């Protein structure tokens, strides 16, 4: 019973009881018996929705009660704020909660006053690199979804971070939460932890396969779900769940598909099904929700989502804006939205249980593999585990789809009877070691090859490998790479990070990204005059752009003459810049923004856009047109892979150029086939990488610092150069900045002095917004009362 729990801060057991948690679930009880609340390390491998979070909370709260400090590591940034909100309910019992996301290059000193801190593994890794003082006060660390150490891209960071934290605090309690993987025991051995492994679920899960006119469940039962001629299985299953058993227990469905596009098109189809089950009251609530969704952004994704939501269905994928995701998840939990079509991101972590789960696609395109690949058992189990809402449903149902009896049998074998895969460390991959070995040396965890190997010996990789030689070999190769690129130096046995090496580690860059950026900037310094001349010579004169086109950005060219003219500090722009080296004596014009965007887009820290059919031709052409702007030699078309990568980076850079050219988000999503969330993602990554480039340029004394800073600021605000000042004012943003500018209010100073009616007219009469903006700009009399936008002069209305 929770009331009998000891070692927790005063009031917590009662609070749990008030939440309806009177008895521990069996795996939770087992964890407490294993010493969870006495500081014992533990690996809990239990199914989704079986109360792992409470296991973590009990460990953290008891640790804090003993005067300690706890850290909760989440796998996704999106989950950090969700977890923080969840833990904040303990604040009334004197527990301070903090979340640390964003800016990698800080020591997060303010966090030292918090009792519970939530962060991603990348953030924790960077805090260790920046020597956050409170790190050695930690007494308890929770690793959520620890089976993700198996993830090629992000696993090694979690693995190394746990090893470092344990090294810093030998008595640290480590609580690792895991899905039910095959080899949880190995993970427990690695962490010197007790193991709680269980298949227990708070609500029964019936797994089955639909084929023909019925679902066959693993327990031998069947449920008739007829599919009419020419109809599809999924809508039939969604409708069937909504029919319930005729007793009014309408059930919602989660449909998992393998791509964003499929999620969107499936939602469109499911909306026609759910619409039939929406009641009158619900209809007006849904209409309101749809309006809220449209308010978030005026993109096509937003419109599509709103249209589906109005009828009671939705889609959910990583390309959605965060506000959209939250609105959809909440409405689904409130049973207003009756069906979500999602990519598997929803299965990881977000708490959205559903009466029925349909795993429509169990294969997905894998770029490295070059074709469709079956999903892991673990992934499918996690999706299926979302079925069944405790307290609402008698049981959950998870259904796979088969076209014939053979396929049905195969699916039973492959997913329903099968155990999840083993977790395997991915640490020995070179990119991972590159980053982590540099950081290990830079932050003083090891100073010699032997020391490094000894440190690596504490990782899961070392526990698992049967080829101890291999780690030594890769380590040597990586150390060579770091030395050649000037990030570390040897002095006898001792390895030290160079000043640049330290910077790279603190900036949280992959050393290969840093090397690429440094090479590019140095190349630019060497070729500056030659390239500026090429830009001035080769660029054809184009007619001045018409305002009405302003949505479309600068198109392919930002005219070199314009760039050169803009270059003279306070220049009058009169001379178009022709040919003489002396005239290029300014660092504002070169490198160009596109050149810099391309440079950061070709580093391994940027996920590049894929080339779709037809893109190769488009971007090859663009590549030749914009050749003088690239910072480095363009690979020849015969270097197949390198050239293809170059073009993908160009496509990504072009997206950024459109963004800073003030092209509408909607146009960008259409042009590049991405969601609004992806634009955000690219923009944030570019901002971070350009910030890192700025630091490196200044450290290496390269004169491109100014150009880099400007390119970064433009990405941050998504505006052309002339709007930078305005867009920096809180509450303005790219669209309002443009409207103000066109109305003659061109700077922060203008905001303080211009005629208020002019400002109000430019802001389309939004009084409250206008007042906030004027306050932010530091105007002495920001009040907008009694200002009439109709008093504005004619030229104020763009
Ligand atoms: P997991 O993290 O394992 O996916 P959660 O921790 O989100 O699962 O738990 C799922 C739900 O179960 C939550 O709503 C939680 O409040 C509830 N829950 C957890 N433990 C108990 C308990 N002992 N008694 C009743 N409800 C519980």
């Amino acid at each position: 019973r929770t009331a009998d729990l000891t070692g927790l801060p005063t009031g917590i057991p009662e609070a749990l009881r008030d939440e309806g948690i009177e008895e521990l679930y069996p795996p939770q009880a087992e964890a407490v018996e294993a010493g969870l609340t006495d500081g014992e390390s533990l690996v809990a491998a239990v199914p989704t929705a079986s109360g792992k979070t409470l296991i973590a909370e009990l460990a953290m709260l008891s640790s804090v009660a003993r005067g300690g400090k706890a850290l909760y590591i989440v796998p996704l940034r999106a989950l950090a704020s969700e977890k923080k909100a969840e833990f904040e309910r303990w604040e009334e019992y004197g527990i301070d909660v903090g979340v640390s996301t964003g800016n990698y290059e800080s020591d997060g000193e303010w966090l030292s006053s918090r009792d519970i801190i939530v962060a991603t593994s990348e953030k924790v890794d960077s805090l260790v690199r920046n020597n956050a003082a409170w790190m050695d006060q930690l007494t308890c660390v929770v690793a959520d979804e620890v089976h993700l150490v198996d993830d090629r891209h992000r696993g090694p960071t979690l693995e190394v971070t746990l090893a470092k934290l344990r090294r810093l605090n030998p008595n640290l309690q480590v609580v690792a939460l895991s899905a039910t993987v095959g080899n949880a025991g190995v993970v427990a051995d690695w962490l010197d932890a007790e193991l709680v492994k269980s298949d227990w679920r708070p609500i029964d899960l019936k797994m089955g396969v639909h084929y023909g006119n019925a679902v066959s469940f693993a327990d031998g039962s069947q449920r008739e779900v007829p599919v009419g001629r020419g109809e599809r299985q999924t809508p039939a299953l969604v409708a069937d769940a909504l029919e319930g058993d005729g007793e009014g227990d309408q059930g919602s469905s989660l449909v998992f598909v393998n791509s964003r596009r499929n999620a969107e098109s499936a939602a469109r189809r499911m909306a026609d099904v759910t619409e039939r089950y929406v009641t009158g009251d619900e209809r007006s609530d849904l209409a309101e929700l749809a309006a809220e969704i449209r308010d978030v952004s005026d993109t096509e994704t937003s419109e599509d989502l709103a249209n589906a939501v109005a009828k009671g269905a939705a889609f959910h994928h990583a390309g959605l804006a965060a506000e959209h995701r939250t609105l959809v998840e909440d409405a689904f939990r409130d049973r207003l939205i009756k069906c979500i079509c999602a990519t598997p991101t929803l299965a990881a972590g977000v708490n959205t249980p559903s009466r029925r789960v349909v795993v429509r696609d169990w294969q997905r395109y894998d770029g490295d593999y070059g074709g469709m690949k079956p999903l892991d058992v673990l992934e499918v189990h996690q999706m299926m585990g979302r079925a069944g809402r405790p307290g609402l449903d008698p049981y959950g149902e998870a259904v796979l789809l088969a076209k014939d009896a053979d396929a049905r049998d195969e699916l039973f074998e492959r997913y329903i009877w099968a155990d999840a895969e083993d977790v395997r460390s991915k640490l020995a991959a070179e990119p991972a070691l590159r980053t982590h070995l540099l950081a290990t040396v830079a932050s003083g965890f090891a100073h010699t090859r032997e020391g490094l190997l000894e440190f690596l010996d504490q990782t899961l990789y070392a526990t698992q490998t049967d080829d101890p030689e291999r780690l030594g070999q890769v380590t040597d190769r990586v150390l060579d790479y770091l030395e050649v690129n000037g990030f570390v130096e040897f002095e006898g046995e001792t390895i030290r990070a160079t000043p640049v090496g330290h910077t790279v580690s603190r900036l949280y860059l992959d050393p290969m990204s840093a090397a690429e950026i440094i090479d590019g900037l140095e190349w630019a310094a060497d070729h500056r005059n030659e390239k500026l001349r090429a830009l001035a010579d080769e660029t054809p004169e184009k007619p001045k752009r018409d305002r009405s086109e302003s949505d479309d950005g600068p198109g392919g060219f930002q005219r070199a003459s314009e760039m050169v003219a803009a270059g003279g500090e306070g220049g009058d722009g009169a001379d178009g810049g022709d040919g003489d080296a002396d005239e290029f004596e300014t660092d504002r014009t070169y490198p160009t923004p596109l050149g810099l965007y391309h440079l950061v887009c070709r580093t391994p820290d940027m996920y590049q856009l894929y080339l779709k059919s037809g893109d190769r031709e488009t971007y090859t052409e663009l590549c030749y047109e914009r050749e003088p702007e690239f910072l480095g030699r363009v690979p020849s078309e015969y270097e197949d892979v390198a050239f293809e990568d170059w073009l993908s980076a160009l496509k990504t850079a072009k997206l950024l150029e459109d963004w800073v050219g003030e092209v509408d988000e909607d146009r960008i999503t259409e042009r590049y086939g991405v969601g609004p969330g992806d634009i955000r993602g690219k923009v944030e990554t570019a901002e971070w990488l350009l910030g890192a480039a700025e630091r490196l340029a200044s450290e290496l004394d390269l004169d491109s610092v100014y150009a880099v800073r400007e390119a970064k600021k433009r990405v941050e605000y998504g505006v052309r150069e002339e709007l930078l000042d305005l867009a920096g004012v809180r509450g303005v943003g790219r669209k309002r900045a443009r409207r103000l500018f066109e109305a003659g209010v061109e700077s922060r100073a203008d905001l303080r002095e211009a005629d208020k009616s002019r400002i109000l007219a430019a802001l389309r009469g939004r009084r409250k917004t206008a007042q906030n903006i004027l306050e932010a700009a530091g105007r002495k009399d920001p009040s907008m009362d009694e200002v009439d936008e109709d008093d504005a002069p004619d030229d104020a209305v763009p």
Side-chain angles (χ1 to χ4, degrees):
R1 296 173 58 87
T2 46
D4 304 333
L5 285 169
T6 54
L8 296 173
T10 325
I12 303 270
E14 293 75 16
L16 286 172
R17 191 198 53 215
D18 293 347
E19 283 177 15
I21 301 183
E22 298 200 15
E23 277 185 40
L24 293 179
Y25 286 160
Q28 294 166 342
E30 226 182 288
V32 171
E33 264 156 45
L36 180 73
T37 49
D38 304 319
E40 200 61 55
S41 288
L42 181 91
V43 171
V46 294
T48 328
S50 306
K52 287 197 284 285
T53 310
L54 186 61
I55 293 185
E57 288 178 306
L58 293 177
M60 296 193 296
L61 291 168
S62 59
S63 201
V64 171
R66 289 192 299 273
K69 184 192 269 307
L71 174 67
Y72 189 102
I73 305 179
V74 286
L76 293 172
R77 240 210 256 184
L79 293 177
S81 30
E82 185 171 308
K83 284 294 170 196
K84 173 175 179 263
E86 208 172 333
F87 301 152
E88 266 170 351
R89 70 190 199 284
W90 305 123
E91 290 200 330
E92 60 177 291
Y93 302 93
I95 313 285
D96 291 322
V97 183
V99 62
S100 172
T101 50
N103 185 7
Y104 283 131
E105 196 200 349
S106 87
D107 60 8
E109 206 37 62
W110 64 276
L111 289 168
S112 62
S113 66
R114 306 296 144 128
D115 302 307
I116 295 179
I117 295 160
V118 184
T120 59
S121 43
E122 286 74 17
K123 182 66 202 184
V124 178
D125 187 15
S126 88
L127 288 166
V128 175
R129 294 182 191 199
N130 288 287
N131 299 317
W134 50 269
M135 278 289 159
D136 37 5
Q137 297 161 22
L138 284 180
T139 49
C140 172
V141 57
V142 178
D144 195 358
E145 311 248 5
V146 79
H147 53 267
L148 292 176
V149 291
D150 195 284
D151 184 279
R152 234 175 328 153
H153 301 292
R154 313 192 42 215
T157 303
L158 177 59
E159 191 179 335
V160 170
T161 302
L162 284 175
K164 282 185 183 165
L165 291 174
R166 295 179 68 209
R167 180 131 176 175
L168 280 172
N169 313 315
N171 296 322
L172 187 68
Q173 175 184 27
V174 180
V175 176
L177 310 177
S178 167
T180 40
V181 294
N183 60 342
V186 174
V187 180
D189 283 347
W190 164 46
L191 295 171
D192 298 315
E194 298 286 320
L195 174 66
V196 170
K197 189 173 177 178
S198 167
D199 290 325
W200 183 89
R201 293 177 48 94
I203 176 164
D204 271 348
L205 176 62
K206 294 176 68 161
M207 295 191 276
V209 179
H210 182 269
Y211 147 64
N213 289 322
V215 184
S216 319
F217 287 105
D219 62 7
S221 67
Q222 286 219 331
R223 181 178 173 95
E224 242 179 81
V225 183
V227 178
R229 191 182 284 276
E231 275 178 13
R232 298 180 187 232
Q233 290 164 285
T234 314
L237 284 160
V238 170
D240 175 70
L242 284 166
E243 290 289 342
D245 293 323
E247 306 281 311
D249 64 334
Q250 283 195 352
S252 54
S253 296
L254 260 172
V255 178
F256 285 107
V257 299
N258 59 9
S259 72
R260 298 174 185 188
R261 189 188 293 260
N262 283 338
E264 294 181 11
S265 57
R268 217 171 299 134
R269 274 198 299 276
M270 293 318 133
D272 292 334
V273 177
T274 53
E275 194 182 21
R276 306 202 299 262
Y277 297 88
V278 170
T279 65
D281 284 352
E282 288 177 334
R283 196 172 300 278
S284 56
D285 288 350
L286 285 168
E288 219 168 277
L289 181 62
E292 260 182 89
I293 284 170
R294 288 193 180 94
D295 270 353
V296 172
S297 66
D298 55 355
T299 58
E300 203 175 309
T301 310
S302 182
E303 186 58 30
D304 288 351
L305 184 62
N307 288 338
V309 164
K311 299 176 176 179
F315 52 87
H316 188 295
H317 55 59
L320 277 189
E323 295 95 315
H324 281 153
R325 272 211 295 266
T326 315
L327 287 171
V328 167
E329 287 161 20
D330 289 348
F332 188 70
R333 275 192 290 264
D334 293 343
R335 307 167 81 176
L336 193 56
I337 289 180
K338 304 187 182 309
C339 174
I340 296 186
C341 302
T343 54
T345 37
L346 188 67
V350 188
N351 189 14
T352 47
S354 160
R355 168 64 184 274
R356 181 170 283 175
V357 165
V358 179
V359 181
R360 195 195 76 176
D361 302 333
W362 54 274
Q363 301 188 71
R364 148 176 75 211
Y365 183 79
D366 183 315
D368 298 336
Y369 180 78
M372 298 300 277
K373 209 177 163 183
L375 300 181
D376 286 345
V377 178
L378 180 63
E379 264 182 296
V380 171
H381 283 183
Q382 283 201 296
M383 294 183 224
M384 293 180 131
R386 291 285 153 208
R389 298 160 300 174
L392 281 175
D393 299 320
Y395 50 83
E397 298 165 329
V399 185
L400 289 149
L401 309 182
K403 289 267 171 276
D404 53 51
D406 284 347
R408 178 191 59 198
D409 297 345
E410 190 200 330
L411 287 175
F412 263 98
E413 287 295 324
R414 185 187 278 279
Y415 291 116
I416 295 183
W417 304 130
D419 285 331
E421 292 80 6
D422 283 356
V423 167
R424 294 211 63 88
S425 165
K426 298 289 187 286
L427 185 63
E430 235 160 282
L433 271 189
R434 223 161 37 214
T435 305
H436 292 297
L437 287 189
L438 176 60
T440 305
V441 170
S443 47
F445 277 92
H447 308 281
T448 59
R449 178 181 186 275
E450 295 324 306
L452 276 174
L453 289 175
E454 195 192 313
F455 172 72
L456 290 172
D457 201 41
Q458 295 168 9
T459 59
L460 175 63
Y461 181 83
T463 313
Q464 286 191 309
T465 186
D466 36 24
D467 179 7
E469 297 293 300
R470 180 166 148 71
L471 203 51
Q473 289 157 2
V474 194
T475 300
D476 289 336
R477 266 208 305 278
V478 169
L479 285 173
D480 264 354
Y481 176 88
L482 295 175
E483 190 188 15
V484 167
N485 283 285
F487 300 140
V488 301
E489 53 197 11
F490 286 81
E491 205 185 288
E493 294 279 284
T494 312
I495 315 171
R496 250 193 293 275
T498 61
V500 181
H502 273 286
T503 306
V504 171
S505 170
R506 275 201 304 270
L507 288 170
Y508 210 72
L509 283 180
D510 180 338
M512 194 178 259
S513 297
E516 184 87 42
I517 289 173
I518 292 171
D519 284 353
L521 294 178
E522 285 179 339
W523 192 92
D526 291 344
H527 293 75
R528 185 163 169 277
N529 281 341
E530 173 200 330
K531 291 295 167 190
L532 272 172
R533 205 169 289 123
L535 282 167
D537 289 349
E538 284 178 13
T539 313
E541 269 307 312
K542 273 190 163 182
K544 192 128 188 92
R545 232 169 20 83
D546 175 3
R547 259 184 198 174
S548 63
E549 258 178 52
S550 71
D551 262 353
D552 211 353
F557 287 94
Q558 177 159 8
R559 288 181 302 136
S561 56
E562 230 171 56
M563 293 189 288
V564 173
E569 297 275 0
D572 55 15
D575 54 5
D578 43 9
D580 189 351
D582 289 347
E583 279 180 67
F584 299 118
E585 262 197 359
T586 160
D587 49 11
R588 285 186 72 174
T589 56
Y590 185 78
T592 66
L594 182 85
L596 289 165
Y597 300 152
H598 187 265
L599 178 63
V600 298
C601 287
R602 58 183 205 244
T603 66
D605 277 312
M606 174 70 87
Y607 281 99
Q608 299 162 352
L609 297 174
Y610 287 109
L611 294 181
K612 303 212 169 91
S613 70
D615 278 354
R616 200 181 154 98
E617 293 70 34
T618 312
Y619 290 98
T620 302
E621 197 174 312
L622 188 69
C623 177
Y624 292 125
E625 268 172 41
R626 309 289 294 265
E627 214 247 42
E629 296 183 57
F630 296 122
L631 311 183
R633 185 187 65 84
V634 179
S636 113
E637 279 187 59
Y638 300 103
E639 300 168 63
D640 226 11
V641 177
F643 189 67
E644 192 99 1
D645 279 351
W646 193 269
L647 294 185
S648 301
L650 177 55
K651 182 175 177 185
T652 318
K654 191 71 183 74
L655 178 151
L656 292 170
E657 191 184 55
D658 282 2
W659 167 252
V660 304
E662 295 173 42
V663 178
D664 262 358
E665 271 184 70
D666 219 6
R667 287 292 284 276
I668 298 181
T669 54
E670 211 175 288
R671 206 175 272 176
Y672 299 93
V674 297
D678 299 309
I679 304 181
R680 273 275 118 227
K682 299 282 175 270
V683 162
E684 278 172 17
T685 309
E687 225 183 292
W688 160 55
L689 289 172
L690 288 162
E694 184 188 340
R695 280 287 300 272
L696 290 170
S698 97
E699 188 151 330
L700 297 168
D701 226 0
L702 294 168
D703 57 9
S704 43
V705 179
Y706 185 87
V708 178
R709 185 178 313 146
E710 179 125 330
K712 181 190 75 178
K713 283 215 306 233
R714 289 187 54 196
V715 167
E716 184 181 346
Y717 300 124
V719 295
R720 291 181 207 196
E721 203 178 330
E722 70 264 22
L723 296 190
L724 279 177
D725 188 28
L726 270 183
V729 177
R730 188 159 39 82
V732 174
R734 66 203 290 251
K735 288 197 167 171
R736 288 185 184 139
R738 176 53 63 193
R739 280 207 298 273
L740 285 163
F741 192 89
E742 307 274 280
V745 183
E746 300 186 356
S747 64
R748 190 183 279 262
D750 286 353
L751 278 175
R752 287 196 291 262
E753 278 142 33
D755 181 34
K756 283 188 187 169
S757 62
R758 181 186 288 272
I759 293 174
L760 189 60
L763 295 173
R764 303 201 165 144
R766 295 189 187 228
R767 234 165 258 280
K768 188 79 194 117
T769 308
Q771 181 164 332
N772 289 340
I773 288 175
L774 292 192
E775 271 168 29
R779 188 160 182 146
K780 291 217 177 57
D781 57 332
S783 167
M784 273 285 161
D785 300 341
E786 288 164 40
V787 177
D788 190 345
E789 62 179 301
D790 294 334
D791 292 343
D794 287 346
D795 70 336
V797 189

